[in-house]
């Protein structure tokens, strides 16, 4: 297996691999150009993001500055909005649904270093994919950690650190984030837990 294939399989892999290092260098160059583009050149920015990401739905907005690791591991649906200082650390796959809004200073992370000291000192790491469902709102300064799935219709409160899966139609806040409300379809309202 290549190091990239190992990373997708959530196995210990070497991110210093020459192929991966070259991919990151290409991404850094593209991000440098993207973040220097005229903010009013919305069509040019959309085109640049469509070339950087693995797949982009219609009406995708990624504000500047923006940072990602590779770009090609990011898939976003229709009507996606990522506000300023977004960081999508996509050594692993990041899949984001339709109608998702992400506020400023949000970080989504797929990689983690090895727990074993010798492996960590050798630079080895793992990746775990992150999945975000449709109609999710992630508020300012939230951090989504490796392996997390956020269910459709959920809200992640400002400054929250999401360490575990969040069920659909939930409001989660805190560090670590915990669900404090869920949507009751029978009552058609949010209910405190």
């Amino acid at each position: 297996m290549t190091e990239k294939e190992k990373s997708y399989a959530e196995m210990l892999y070497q991110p210093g691999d020459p192929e991966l290092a070259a991919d990151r260098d290409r991404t850094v160059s593209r991000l440098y150009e993207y973040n220097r583009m005229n903010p009013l050149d919305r069509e040019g920015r959309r085109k640049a993001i469509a070339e950087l990401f693995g797949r982009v739905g219609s009406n995708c907005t990624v504000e500047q500055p923006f940072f990602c690791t590779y770009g090609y591991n990011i898939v976003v649906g229709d009507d996606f909005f990522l506000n300023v200082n977004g960081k999508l650390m996509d050594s692993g796959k990041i899949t984001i649904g339709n109608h998702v809004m992400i506020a400023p200073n949000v970080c989504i992370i797929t990689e983690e270093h090895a727990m074993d000291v010798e492996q960590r000192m050798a630079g080895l790491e793992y990746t775990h994919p992150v999945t975000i469902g449709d109609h999710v709102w992630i508020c300012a300064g939230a951090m989504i950690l490796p392996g997390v799935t956020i269910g459709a219709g959920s809200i992640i409160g400002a400054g929250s650190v999401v360490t575990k899966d969040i069920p659909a139609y939930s409001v989660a806040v805190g560090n670590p984030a915990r669900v404090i409300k869920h949507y009751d379809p029978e009552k058609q309202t949010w209910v405190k837990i």
Side-chain angles (χ1 to χ4, degrees):
M1 293 178 89
T2 68
E3 296 303 303
K4 185 186 289 188
E5 290 169 338
K6 288 179 189 175
S7 75
Y8 293 157
E10 300 184 58
M11 298 170 60
L12 201 59
Y13 79 103
Q14 178 51 261
D17 172 70
E19 176 191 9
L20 292 174
D23 286 354
R24 285 193 307 277
D25 286 348
R26 276 190 294 278
T27 301
V28 166
S29 179
R30 291 168 123 183
L31 289 170
Y32 178 77
E33 294 302 322
Y34 180 76
N35 287 322
R36 292 171 44 113
M37 290 179 78
N38 182 336
L40 298 179
D41 182 7
R42 292 177 181 88
E43 192 54 41
R45 289 172 46 212
R46 282 188 188 111
K47 182 179 177 191
I49 288 297
E51 292 171 358
L52 179 64
F53 285 8
R55 192 185 79 215
V56 174
S58 64
N59 193 28
C60 171
T61 302
V62 175
E63 297 292 359
Q64 301 152 298
F66 167 67
F67 182 81
C68 64
T69 310
Y70 296 99
Y72 55 67
N73 289 325
I74 301 168
V75 171
V76 300
D78 297 338
D79 301 313
F80 173 70
F81 181 80
L82 176 64
N83 215 321
V84 298
N85 292 321
K87 296 173 184 72
L88 304 182
M89 309 303 292
D90 68 310
S91 293
K93 302 283 186 178
I94 297 176
T95 305
I96 300 174
N98 298 314
H99 313 287
V100 172
M101 298 185 302
I102 301 178
N105 301 311
V106 168
C107 187
I108 299 173
I109 305 166
T110 64
E111 54 271 294
E112 68 177 345
H113 296 289
M115 295 294 288
D116 178 82
V117 172
E118 290 182 17
Q119 291 174 336
R120 192 167 58 247
M121 295 306 292
L124 298 172
E125 65 184 30
Y126 296 95
T127 70
H128 306 289
V130 171
T131 303
I132 298 171
D134 295 342
H135 303 281
V136 168
W137 173 24
I138 301 175
C139 298
M143 186 175 298
I144 314 301
L145 297 186
V148 166
T149 295
I150 298 174
S154 291
I155 300 169
I156 306 301
S160 295
V161 178
V162 183
T163 62
K164 296 179 181 175
D165 292 353
I166 303 299
Y169 298 96
S170 299
V171 175
V173 300
N175 181 4
R178 65 179 184 83
V179 175
I180 61 166
K181 293 182 184 179
H182 74 277
Y183 187 77
D184 184 332
E186 289 180 17
K187 295 180 181 177
Q188 295 186 343
T189 189
W190 290 91
V191 178
K192 288 185 180 181
I193 294 180

